Amino acid sequence: MSDDHRFKVEFCGLQLSSPLVLLSGCVGFGEEYTRIQGFSNRDVGAICLKGTTLEPRLGNAPHRLAETTDGMLNAIGLQNPGVEAVVQEILPSLDFSQTRFIANVSGSTVEEYREVTRRFDDSPIDAIEINISCPNVKEGGVAFGNDPEMSARVVEACRAVTQKPLITKLSPNQTDIRHNAKRCIEAGSDAFAVINTVMGMAIDVETRQPVLHNNQGGLSGPAIKPIALLKVHEVYQVCKPHKIPIIGQGGIVHTNDAIEFLIAGATAVGIGTGLFYDPLCCQKITRGMAEYLDNTGLSHVNAVTGSLEMHTDATEYT
Amino acid sequence: MESEQNPIFEECARVTHHDALAAQQFVLRLSAPECARHAKAGNFLHLQCDPQRALRRPFSIMRCDPAAGWVEVLYKIVGQGSAELAARKSGDMLQCLGPVGNTFRVHENTTHPLLLGGGVGIPPMIFLAETLRGNPGLHPLAILGSEIPFPFPTRPSKILAPDVPKEVIAAMPLLDDWGIASRLTSLQGYPGCFHGYVHELAERWFLNLDHAAQKGVQVFACGPNRMLEAVSEFCRRHALPCQVCLEEYMACAVGGCAGCVVPYRENNRMVAMKRVCVDGPVFNAASIF
């Protein structure tokens, strides 16, 4: 784990050695990247495991990926072995001394979210992320996440069955993310992950068909970073009075991307697609953040969080 | 087939040779010592064509020299990523993740390995051929097909292949030099090539073998899916063991994203989505086609 005390952050009760978090869907069930020499789970504060449902799911038919300008689309469709296999077979193989592991709970019904959460509650997992924003399944996912009342119902159901920290992963594909965040806090959410992917499509001009077999998918990478930053800023306004922390995520590849999210209000920052650009990017981002603290004279990364200074003289000329 | 949990290396690789061939094909040689030291036939490299691109591109390793520290891939421009790669010059550096994936497995009772490569599916067959050279118990034959000019000068083979029609004589010189029989196929009328597809020449060869030799045949194939389907059908007809090397769009290349999956069958029923990057790229043909 990082020895630099300036990076240790408290995140809804979790002590993270670094504000860097590896994002669900990009790093399998936590150990896949460790095959790369030089990569260590110790380099990050937490790892969000692959989205998990009550029963095993095979996911969507290929093609599941499409590269886009400054990003990519994915439509994996929550391929996973089911919560029982994750708890019984995968969690025992994880080295919890290296980092914190966060389960990502998905479902098609409120009851499924609750049951998967209940199963993880009786496991060594450190925290639970509620994925109400997966754009790539026919039922549940973003259909819940785009409706503040449904989002709150899911959070409430999960809250009822666990005392572990609950992180709600919010969708950018909704009218007012602030209202959704407010309802989720009232329902018992301890933290937020902002944002999930933005729904999109790529078209093959030769076949005139969508590139993705699922027709549409979730856009990630630097292309969505400005959207994500604004959403983090908006959710931060709701969270700040409640001291609810945010994992800011969406297009972080380099140090300055991460710092922008901290400034916008994130306590931790998520790396997903950035790993596809550079599987060893976390070490570089950490070094860059250390330089940033040195250069700015700030004593701790927490001092960066929410330090955004808005223009107060914004003027509209007519 | 099983996934193999070998270490993967991220190297800043230097382009040492980059040769443009006919029909927008290129042979790229990279100085990447760790990849070269650990590479096995079937493995691939995940190359960053341009730092601004979210996704790297997977390329089968064609050759490597562990002592000299280089790896070589053959590719054809098919999109923006490979076009950007083609612009890289000797001395340029590019990020290289590898070696990734599982490997071909030659069975103990195999005497006649049959290597089938189509187009940009040729490279892993060359790597496999190199691992088979000099083995006195094996009688390999490589059949390589292309509908664009072959990415190497062809010449009449010096190695007899008595079970192949005698007019089919064009071969890959490198394989000839290694003492491995090869024959070429194309519908383009290239001299000395079999007029047809690789699986058609393979079947003719197989039917000419005596029974004992037929029992020692194991097939390895890489190429377009339509070719692999035809090869798999040929193997099914004759109950031949067959391993196919697949490609698919890929993001992480380490099994983390499940973006590169292929439907996997057992007893004609789809039972799983396997990741081409780490569960493959080499699969038993019967599980895929």
Side-chain angles (χ1 to χ4, degrees):
Chain A
M1 294 189 187
S2 170
D3 293 329
D4 193 333
H5 72 279
R6 297 178 300 173
F7 293 134
K8 295 187 192 330
V9 293
E10 195 267 341
F11 191 88
C12 61
L14 297 179
Q15 304 303 317
L16 307 185
S17 62
S18 158
L20 300 192
V21 176
L22 300 184
L23 297 182
S24 178
C26 300
V27 289
F29 282 98
E31 295 292 341
E32 282 80 352
Y33 267 85
T34 60
R35 287 179 60 198
I36 300 175
Q37 301 300 296
F39 181 97
S40 172
N41 284 347
R42 292 179 187 276
D43 293 334
V44 296
I47 297 177
C48 296
L49 306 183
K50 179 95 182 82
T52 302
T53 51
L54 193 58
E55 301 296 333
R57 283 178 64 104
L58 292 177
N60 293 328
H63 299 309
R64 291 176 167 186
L65 303 173
E67 190 177 57
T68 60
T69 305
D70 287 330
M72 58 173 283
L73 287 163
N74 88 81
I76 309 300
L78 291 175
Q79 179 176 347
N80 79 95
V83 67
E84 203 55 41
V86 173
V87 171
Q88 294 281 354
E89 296 161 27
I90 294 173
L91 296 191
S93 71
L94 300 179
D95 186 348
F96 281 76
S97 73
Q98 296 196 334
T99 190
R100 305 276 69 80
F101 288 103
I102 300 170
N104 179 285
V105 169
S106 298
S108 302
T109 63
V110 175
E111 290 71 29
E112 185 176 3
Y113 278 99
R114 184 182 59 215
E115 288 313 306
V116 178
T117 301
R118 189 200 303 277
R119 189 66 191 89
F120 276 122
D121 184 63
D122 185 25
S123 83
I125 205 78
D126 292 300
I128 294 166
E129 180 177 62
I130 309 173
N131 183 3
I132 49 168
S133 45
C134 175
N136 298 324
V137 290
K138 288 189 174 65
E139 296 171 330
V142 78
F144 288 165
N146 286 349
D147 178 344
E149 297 314 311
M150 282 303 298
S151 300
R153 276 186 58 196
V154 173
V155 172
E156 202 170 54
C158 297
R159 178 78 288 163
V161 295
T162 186
Q163 291 303 308
K164 290 183 189 283
L166 275 182
I167 305 160
T168 308
K169 190 168 187 175
L170 295 178
S171 165
N173 307 297
Q174 56 183 318
T175 308
D176 186 357
I177 198 169
R178 287 168 295 197
H179 180 54
N180 198 316
K182 183 170 175 294
R183 290 293 293 117
C184 289
I185 292 171
E186 290 166 357
S189 186
D190 298 308
F192 291 104
V194 183
I195 56 174
N196 206 325
T197 53
V198 179
M199 290 167 79
M201 178 186 271
I203 295 172
D204 183 328
V205 297
E206 300 294 329
T207 63
R208 297 191 213 173
Q209 290 181 312
V211 176
L212 299 177
H213 199 91
N214 190 52
N215 295 323
Q216 64 184 48
L219 180 65
S220 63
I224 69 166
K225 196 184 87 176
I227 299 170
L229 279 171
L230 180 59
K231 299 298 179 190
V232 167
H233 169 67
E234 290 178 348
V235 173
Y236 181 62
Q237 306 311 310
V238 178
C239 290
K240 194 176 174 183
H242 303 277
K243 296 188 165 41
I244 299 267
I246 298 168
I247 306 172
Q249 56 197 58
I252 296 175
V253 179
H254 303 294
T255 299
N256 274 7
D257 302 325
I259 293 171
E260 283 182 72
F261 275 92
L262 295 172
I263 293 171
T267 297
V269 290
I271 316 290
T273 303
L275 290 169
F276 306 155
Y277 284 81
D278 178 0
L280 302 179
C281 68
C282 291
Q283 296 169 355
K284 294 165 190 165
I285 291 172
T286 301
R287 282 198 296 273
M289 289 199 304
E291 282 175 26
Y292 180 79
L293 293 181
D294 291 342
N295 293 339
T296 54
L298 295 171
S299 60
H300 195 280
V301 72
N302 278 345
V304 186
T305 294
S307 59
L308 182 65
E309 295 185 20
M310 299 292 280
H311 296 292
T312 55
D313 58 346
T315 305
E316 250 185 80
Y317 295 102
T318 56
Chain B
M1 302 300 297
E2 296 167 3
S3 58
E4 295 166 25
Q5 299 295 313
N6 297 324
I8 299 171
F9 299 87
E10 168 77 352
E11 296 188 270
C12 188
R14 185 167 50 82
V15 177
T16 62
H17 299 75
H18 202 174
D19 299 328
L21 310 173
Q24 295 197 304
Q25 298 173 99
F26 295 81
V27 172
L28 172 67
R29 183 178 289 187
L30 299 169
S31 174
E34 294 293 351
C35 288
R37 201 150 63 88
H38 293 83
K40 291 180 180 152
N43 289 159
F44 65 91
L45 304 177
H46 208 37
L47 296 180
Q48 188 179 60
C49 298
D50 184 282
Q52 300 305 314
R53 290 205 165 273
L55 302 186
R56 298 182 181 201
R57 300 291 191 271
F59 297 98
S60 290
I61 300 172
M62 180 165 71
R63 296 187 66 197
C64 70
D65 185 329
W70 57 257
V71 286
E72 208 168 72
V73 300
L74 163 72
Y75 68 95
K76 180 176 181 299
I77 295 179
V78 293
Q80 290 179 348
S82 47
E84 286 164 359
L85 185 63
R88 299 299 192 103
K89 296 180 168 48
S90 282
D92 284 358
M93 308 298 287
L94 71 163
Q95 292 302 125
C96 166
L97 190 69
V100 189
N102 66 358
T103 56
F104 293 109
R105 304 262 178 96
V106 181
H107 297 162
E108 275 183 14
N109 59 352
T110 295
T111 55
H112 288 69
L114 176 60
L115 284 54
L116 304 177
V120 290
I122 289 173
M125 294 303 123
I126 294 172
F127 198 169
L128 179 59
E130 188 162 17
T131 67
L132 301 178
R133 65 191 284 204
N135 189 323
L138 296 178
H139 310 284
L141 171 67
I143 299 177
L144 310 176
S146 184
E147 299 310 319
I148 56 175
F150 283 91
F152 46 82
T154 67
R155 75 177 184 211
S157 181
K158 296 171 183 164
I159 301 174
L160 289 176
D163 299 302
V164 172
K166 65 175 190 271
E167 71 278 12
V168 179
I169 193 64
M172 180 180 185
L174 182 66
L175 297 189
D176 246 31
D177 294 344
W178 289 344
I180 291 181
S182 65
R183 293 295 185 268
L184 308 180
T185 76
S186 181
L187 297 176
Q188 306 304 315
Y190 300 136
C193 293
F194 175 76
H195 188 81
Y197 293 112
V198 288
H199 69 278
E200 293 171 333
L201 182 57
E203 190 152 23
R204 283 211 199 179
W205 167 82
F206 176 79
L207 293 173
N208 285 337
L209 293 177
D210 61 44
H211 184 63
Q214 283 183 342
K215 291 185 73 169
V217 171
Q218 185 184 4
V219 179
F220 307 89
C222 186
N225 273 2
R226 276 189 303 177
M227 172 197 141
L228 296 182
E229 283 172 25
V231 168
S232 299
E233 183 52 37
F234 149 62
C235 292
R236 192 175 293 118
R237 275 200 300 278
H238 300 289
L240 296 176
C242 177
Q243 296 172 12
V244 292
C245 186
L246 304 182
E247 64 173 11
E248 180 53 72
Y249 296 155
M250 207 169 273
C252 73
V254 296
C257 71
C260 61
V261 297
V262 62
Y264 185 85
R265 295 180 177 81
E266 283 176 5
N267 301 320
N268 289 324
R269 197 170 67 88
M270 206 260 276
V271 295
M273 286 288 193
K274 294 280 190 179
R275 300 160 298 182
V276 171
C277 64
V278 291
D279 299 322
V282 180
F283 294 92
N284 284 323
S287 300
I288 305 298
F289 296 105

